[in-house]
Amino acid sequence: MSAQPPSSDAIKAAPAPWTCKCDSYWLMFILKGPLPDHAYSPLEASSAAFSDPKEAGAFKGSLGSVQIVRYADTPAGSYDEMVLVPGYFAAPGQRKSHLRVTRIYVSQKETCYNGRKNWGIPKHLARFQFTRSPSGSLTVEVYPPDTDTTATHPFFTAHLQPFSYLPALPFSTSILPYLGLDTHLIQPPLLASEEPGEEELAGTNQWLKTLPLLHTKSARGMWVQLKREQARKGEQSSEADPLLRGDAELQRWWPQLEPWKIGMWLEDATLVFKEPEVLG
């Protein structure tokens, strides 16, 4: 089911292709077993076409990532984003498995609507806070959206520290296929929300395949630490934090993952999303 196009005084359509300027931070991991709980938002979890392995393709695992992106310039304006790409999935009619975005948060409605309509990416709204320290480290906090007035704690917190002892180097995702990593995204049909006031949650009725391309002259490694890891080390108390106490209401917003201690810090990057290929 597809949502009706938004009115001109509400959300403006911004069709593909997009060329974006951004800073991006990659947290990587390997999943070999089933998808963790809460790998899908409730809307997508309710759609067999998007989340049922029999209809949408089984999860195959391998290298996955959480990507945190600060977009300075896009056709939909500036915004922040956190993306979950848990790994590779089978897809109907495809001989090999491909990457898939299963859960993603953004900070404004225009990119939410257009990301869903253009590429079948299941964007939802959230609030972001970024705090830089004098040492150059970055703390990222992601909260439920403003519509959830009870949300006073972040459901995701990461502390990122770029390597200072190695120089920044050029990097492009175009080299990844030579390392055996196919970076095409194949997204299943996406259910639209029928709830009043959720016009940004548009849908699609087709399988869509696209190849995001990123390049930067300034890539370096970084140390990654999640808040629950800090709590285990005694750096923060879990007494007052519902997420660290295992609060189910807060944990439903994001799956529990264990990324590697080392990630990628990509500054002043260009990210291109071309028009998708319609499959089937």
Side-chain angles (χ1 to χ4, degrees), residues 182-185 209-213 272-274:
D182 187 336
T183 54
H184 283 89
L185 293 175
K209 180 179 182 179
T210 190
L211 179 63
L213 295 171
V272 177
F273 280 88
K274 297 182 179 180

Side-chain angles (χ1 to χ4, degrees), residues 8 12 33-34 37 51 55 62 64 68 71 86 101 110 171 185-186 198 219-220 231-232 251 256 261 276:
S8 60
K12 294 184 179 180
D37 292 341
S51 60
E55 293 192 33
S62 190
I68 299 164
Y71 289 97
V101 176
E110 282 72 17
F171 170 77
L185 293 175
I186 293 187
E198 292 187 347
R220 65 179 73 232
R232 284 198 293 265
Q251 287 183 344
Q256 297 296 301
K261 305 298 184 184

Side-chain angles (χ1 to χ4, degrees), residues 110-170:
E110 282 72 17
T111 185
C112 188
Y113 174 86
N114 286 288
R116 295 176 71 94
K117 290 292 290 184
N118 291 346
W119 303 284
I121 297 176
K123 297 185 177 186
H124 288 261
L125 295 176
R127 292 183 290 123
F128 291 75
Q129 182 170 316
F130 293 81
T131 305
R132 283 193 179 271
S133 74
S135 67
S137 67
L138 182 67
T139 298
V140 183
E141 296 175 305
V142 188
Y143 296 77
D146 289 330
T147 52
D148 188 335
T149 57
T150 64
T152 58
H153 293 274
F155 60 80
F156 176 90
T157 302
H159 181 75
L160 312 176
Q161 176 69 59
F163 292 172
S164 58
Y165 47 83
L166 293 173
L169 298 172

